[in-house]
Amino acid sequence: MIRKGMVLAAGKGMRLHPLTLALPKEMIRVGTRPVIEHAVLALKAGGIKDILIVVGRKKEAIMDYLGSGERLGVEVYYRVQEEPRGTADAVNHGRDFVGQEDFVVIYGDNYIKPYDVMEEITKYHMGKKADATLVLHPTKDPRRFGVVKTDADNRVVGIVEKPTLREARAYEVRGGYLNIAGILVLKPIVFDFIERTKPGKDNELWLTDSIELMRRNGCKIYAFTFKGIRYDIGTFESLLKADRLEQGGQDSTGKRANAIDLG
């Protein structure tokens, strides 16, 4: 059973200016809750109650809101990423927290439903005896995300972070792409590869580059294709869609009130 989770909440939220000049994007409301609370509740639904939040600028808003986690029935800890050096650097801040256990990483601006898919994801990871499991979701535009290519056994055979359309062409599947949906399950061996990761796009250390390095060195990287509802609320368009859905289509437990097909 996986007991520990990590929420990455240190991004700048540039595409949500001017809102994110005043508060971190993870504190923007989706329905009646900040989006980071949805991420925490998804972890909790998977049995994960020891949660590390990696915070950055304007960290006080997140820390004041979540506190110790007692109100949500979890235990919350914090690490501060002083400079935005990328997702691999953010995860590396949790090395002492994780110890020798497998753990889940979820991006703090990630809105997913139903919450209870998290239990299915962790069981899949353990069943595959994977070194890393990447949760994938279909997308038409690959340029904002890491996209993945898999084989017939759902083993990952290629990863590219935020590709151009030309770079993504080799990853196209039936007219679309499978993007990393802001959720990963990792063994602590990932930290060894983070140490070997070189700065990539925007001169940052990308977690997807660390995982691609793992793959090239023979680690078992598997994909779990998530068929529920998922929005990265990093743009006003996706924020609006997630908010409308949360207010009209879900019950308080995070289970679907109605079947909704987002294509």
Side-chain angles (χ1 to χ4, degrees), residues 230-248:
R230 184 257 175 176
Y231 288 109
D232 157 16
I233 63 102
T235 67
F236 284 106
E237 180 184 9
S238 57
L239 172 60
L240 179 61
K241 289 179 179 178
D243 187 57
R244 284 177 174 169
L245 184 62
E246 178 65 20
Q247 295 201 48

Side-chain angles (χ1 to χ4, degrees), residues 131-255:
D131 294 305
T133 297
L134 312 182
V135 178
L136 308 183
H137 197 253
T139 185
K140 295 294 185 182
D141 185 351
R143 292 171 292 182
R144 285 180 50 215
F145 310 102
V147 293
V148 171
K149 182 190 293 185
T150 63
D151 66 14
D153 191 38
N154 289 323
R155 189 155 177 169
V156 173
V157 296
I159 308 170
V160 60
E161 178 66 36
K162 295 185 178 180
T164 64
L165 289 176
R166 184 174 180 178
E167 289 172 328
R169 196 171 298 153
Y171 293 78
E172 188 173 349
V173 180
R174 293 186 294 277
Y177 305 88
L178 292 172
N179 75 280
I180 301 173
I183 305 172
L184 310 92
V185 192
L186 303 169
K187 285 189 176 296
I189 192 175
V190 70
F191 296 111
D192 297 334
F193 289 92
I194 288 175
E195 289 183 355
R196 296 165 54 185
T197 301
K198 296 179 180 179
K201 294 183 178 180
D202 301 322
N203 203 36
E204 294 188 0
L205 299 174
W206 294 100
L207 184 57
T208 45
D209 289 344
S210 303
I211 293 168
E212 175 65 0
L213 196 58
M214 291 172 67
R215 186 191 69 81
R216 291 177 181 176
N217 280 269
C219 292
K220 294 187 294 183
I221 315 297
Y222 280 92
F224 176 97
T225 301
F226 170 53
K227 297 180 180 178
I229 296 163
R230 184 257 175 176
Y231 288 109
D232 157 16
I233 63 102
T235 67
F236 284 106
E237 180 184 9
S238 57
L239 172 60
L240 179 61
K241 289 179 179 178
D243 187 57
R244 284 177 174 169
L245 184 62
E246 178 65 20
Q247 295 201 48
Q250 305 289 332
D251 67 19
S252 61
T253 67
K255 295 181 179 179

